[in-house]
Amino acid sequence: MSGMYPFRRGLVKEPSAKRIQKVCCKSINSFCPVSPWFLLPLSPFSCITSFRLVFGSVIGKFFAPLYLRKIKLIRWPVKHVDHELDEKVPFRADTVKCYMDFINIWIRPLNMLLHRYGWLQGSRHCAEFMRYLIKTYTYALKIYRHCMTTTYRTPCDEKQVKKLRAADPHYCCVPSLHISIVCLCFSFYKMLFDRENFTFMEKQRWNWELYSRAVEIGETVLYLKQHSVNCIPAALYMLTRLAPELFTASDAVRFVNDLFQKAEDVAEKDKVEIRSHIIFMYERFLLEGTTEDDWTLPITRWLDAYEAYTPSYAK
């Protein structure tokens, strides 16, 4: 059992029918993304994990390296990873709100768990998810230590985009934590809903909601030029290696194939090329990784050899 669920710590008491009834008809989007920040550090089942996630991982393994590299206190190499297919996706400043929702997409379900199970019992499930997040940041840092990565970004005067860029030194593109985290979110809850016997209504509503939002956010990383098409396969490969019990190759291919399905501003021919490139790179990493003890080698070898394309908006 521990091998199947490596971050599970004890069993969680079943919620009452009254609690289930109160939340089962709500959308995930209706749950407040603020209260878990205050409630989870107070629970004995999630307090240590909460602090490890925020201070040890988000700050210590992501923001600290970013800003230390920006002010040159660390000298990790930085290289561009742009690809010519990036120009096939138009720049859209209006997607910035959706892009920033990659934080709330995993916090809102934590609040749902706190409401459905109660604060104490729900915090056990929340801690399990946060342990996966900690592992995600730990895995990504292994690549960033080898080589930090960036992309060219289209000039923009839109206020929210300027705020985003001012706060983001933009050196951690491969692998894309945006992609890894949104895919971890929908795949973890799919597992949890099955394992913990959530109702059919809950599964049907929430699995689709989390998955479709993950796809939307996945598209925005290209719309905003925050990532290249090269950043996505590395993220999917990393997630496949760190959580194979949650995220499989078929999940990765399905996610990629659903990108830009409804987009009217990307030509159909370009959609096919973008998806084909991402899947090809993902399968390349996956195949090379089967013969390596170190999962990072397929990505680091590619980074060492890659010669980036310079898009027209960077000239």
Side-chain angles (χ1 to χ4, degrees):
M1 185 67 72
S2 60
M4 187 180 299
Y5 308 116
F7 295 122
R8 189 183 197 180
R9 303 288 186 271
L11 299 178
V12 176
K13 183 180 178 182
E14 286 287 330
S16 66
K18 184 178 180 180
R19 282 191 174 276
I20 294 174
Q21 188 62 35
K22 284 180 68 175
V23 303
C24 69
C25 294
K26 293 184 177 181
S27 69
I28 292 291
N29 199 49
S30 68
F31 289 93
C32 175
V34 176
S35 53
W37 292 104
F38 300 97
L39 295 175
L40 293 176
L42 300 178
S43 168
F45 300 123
S46 58
C47 59
I48 295 175
T49 305
S50 299
F51 282 101
R52 284 183 60 211
L53 174 61
V54 174
F55 296 102
S57 296
V58 177
I59 295 176
K61 295 177 181 176
F62 184 74
F63 283 110
L66 270 178
Y67 283 99
L68 289 174
R69 181 62 182 83
K70 182 178 182 180
I71 62 177
K72 296 182 171 58
L73 286 182
I74 59 176
R75 298 285 181 169
W76 299 350
V78 180
K79 72 181 300 182
H80 280 268
V81 290
D82 303 83
H83 190 278
E84 59 186 305
L85 286 173
D86 297 333
E87 292 195 277
K88 304 292 187 180
V89 180
F91 176 74
R92 283 184 50 187
D94 62 300
T95 63
V96 67
K97 184 177 180 180
C98 180
Y99 175 87
M100 293 305 299
D101 202 44
F102 96 103
I103 300 172
N104 290 339
I105 193 179
W106 62 265
I107 298 177
R108 292 190 193 100
L110 300 183
N111 201 5
M112 175 274 291
L113 294 174
L114 297 177
H115 279 79
R116 190 180 192 272
Y117 286 90
W119 164 64
L120 202 57
Q121 292 298 312
S123 66
R124 286 183 181 269
H125 286 321
C126 295
E128 183 179 5
F129 176 78
M130 290 190 291
R131 292 182 190 108
Y132 274 108
L133 269 185
I134 291 169
K135 189 176 182 181
T136 304
Y137 278 93
T138 301
Y139 266 50
L141 184 63
K142 292 180 181 180
I143 304 296
Y144 303 152
R145 282 183 182 276
H146 176 84
C147 178
M148 301 187 96
T149 44
T150 190
T151 60
Y152 292 103
R153 297 188 286 190
T154 305
C156 178
D157 292 326
E158 203 279 330
K159 186 176 180 181
Q160 289 302 111
V161 175
K162 290 179 72 174
K163 284 183 179 179
L164 167 65
R165 293 178 177 179
D168 178 15
H170 196 52
Y171 294 141
C172 295
C173 288
V174 173
S176 165
L177 277 170
H178 246 76
I179 298 296
S180 296
I181 289 173
V182 298
C183 289
L184 172 65
C185 184
F186 76 72
S187 57
F188 172 82
Y189 284 99
K190 183 176 185 297
M191 176 279 294
L192 189 74
F193 296 160
D194 286 337
R195 191 187 74 190
E196 302 299 325
N197 299 313
F198 277 58
T199 66
F200 175 79
M201 181 185 295
E202 290 170 321
K203 291 180 185 179
Q204 188 177 49
R205 176 190 296 268
W206 294 339
N207 275 330
W208 172 246
E209 187 177 350
L210 291 171
Y211 179 76
S212 59
R213 190 58 170 174
V215 171
E216 290 173 351
I217 294 172
E219 294 170 353
T220 68
V221 306
L222 297 180
Y223 276 129
L224 285 173
K225 309 304 176 186
Q226 285 290 113
H227 287 287
S228 164
V229 293
N230 286 326
C231 306
I232 297 175
L236 298 175
Y237 165 68
M238 181 181 76
L239 185 58
T240 308
R241 293 300 300 266
L242 76 86
E245 70 278 8
L246 300 181
F247 192 77
T248 66
S250 60
D251 293 322
V253 171
R254 178 195 175 203
F255 177 79
V256 175
N257 281 331
D258 283 337
L259 293 174
F260 301 110
Q261 284 287 351
K262 299 178 181 179
E264 297 180 356
D265 50 7
V266 181
E268 290 301 321
K269 177 178 176 292
D270 295 335
K271 293 178 185 179
V272 172
E273 288 186 28
I274 289 167
R275 295 180 194 130
S276 297
H277 174 78
I278 295 172
I279 291 174
F280 171 79
M281 290 295 297
Y282 169 75
E283 292 178 341
R284 170 185 168 179
F285 291 147
L286 204 60
L287 183 61
E288 291 182 14
T290 59
T291 62
E292 302 289 356
D293 293 329
D294 182 354
W295 73 270
T296 67
L297 286 176
I299 299 177
T300 56
R301 275 197 301 258
W302 174 80
L303 283 171
D304 290 342
Y306 187 65
E307 295 184 11
Y309 170 82
T310 302
S312 60
Y313 46 81
K315 297 174 183 178

